[in-house]
Amino acid sequence: GIVFNATNNIWLAILACLATGTLCGAINGLILTRFTELAPMIVTLATTTLYRGLSERILAGESTKGMRNVEWFAKIYDLRFGPVPLLFVLFVIFAVVFGLVMHKTVFGRQMYAIGANKKAARYAGIKVQKIRMIVFTLTGFICGQLVPAYIFQVNVQVYSVHHRSADSVHILLSAGFRA
């Protein structure tokens, strides 16, 4: 929001989203590769709350309503292939690409091995912490790609941490943790 409002340049705003998402993913990866005893779900929920709080503090009430006024940007997100929205088509493309990566590459098989048993994967010669760091950073990058679409859909980036605080409790309870 700040980059777009300051520069009125949609490309810089999208680049800022990608960079911020990648950085946040890398921070999660660093935490989880340095402190291996921590549960990834708990760290992710904690950093999500941290990132939301930081964005609320940094934005200080600024919104990104102006992004909807960028005509070509609006056309992209309103684009449909018949009744199917572009965002769904992009989802299908991502799903196919990631399915191929997971099933047809060494990297994908390494991720499966780590997910099944980290200790066995380490004994098999897989650099577990390196792969985990790459996965968390990649996840942040992918989230950064989705931010412009999300901002466009809701037409505002101002977000209160308190609006979603119950979500964390519901996620923990559904995962079997006691609150």
Side-chain angles (χ1 to χ4, degrees):
I2 290 175
V3 173
F4 181 77
N5 290 342
T7 65
N8 209 25
N9 184 328
I10 194 74
W11 293 110
L12 284 177
I14 291 171
L15 186 61
C17 290
L18 294 173
T20 303
T22 304
L23 177 65
C24 291
I27 290 169
N28 283 358
L30 280 172
I31 292 169
L32 289 164
T33 56
R34 299 291 184 251
F35 305 99
T36 57
E37 68 279 0
L38 296 175
M41 183 178 203
I42 302 302
V43 171
T44 302
L45 287 172
T47 56
T48 297
T49 302
L50 172 71
Y51 301 148
R52 284 179 181 163
L54 285 173
S55 75
E56 189 173 298
R57 177 66 75 181
I58 291 168
L59 286 174
E62 286 187 51
S63 72
T64 56
K65 289 186 243 183
M67 289 178 78
R68 205 139 175 61
N69 297 332
V70 179
E71 190 174 327
W72 67 266
F73 190 70
K75 286 181 181 176
I76 287 173
Y77 286 101
D78 285 337
L79 185 64
R80 293 180 170 275
F81 297 100
V84 181
L86 171 67
L87 292 177
F88 183 75
V89 172
L90 292 175
F91 166 77
V92 170
I93 291 169
F94 272 112
V96 168
V97 168
F98 286 116
L100 290 172
V101 167
M102 291 299 292
H103 295 288
K104 302 293 183 187
T105 68
V106 172
F107 181 71
R109 287 189 293 276
Q110 289 175 336
M111 283 192 287
Y112 272 123
I114 292 168
N117 188 333
K118 278 190 264 186
K119 191 180 247 186
R122 191 173 299 110
Y123 288 141
I126 297 171
K127 294 180 174 142
V128 173
Q129 300 304 61
K130 180 181 176 183
I131 299 295
R132 290 180 78 212
M133 182 68 190
I134 291 169
V135 168
F136 278 103
T137 304
L138 245 158
T139 301
F141 179 76
I142 293 163
C143 289
Q145 291 176 354
L146 298 175
V147 168
Y150 177 75
I151 291 171
F152 183 79
Q153 291 297 323
V154 298
N155 199 22
V156 69
Q157 190 178 0
V158 176
Y159 189 88
S160 173
V161 175
H162 306 293
H163 291 161
R164 297 286 184 179
S165 60
D167 287 355
S168 299
V169 174
H170 291 142
I171 290 169
L172 286 172
L173 291 174
S174 67
F177 293 96
R178 304 267 183 233

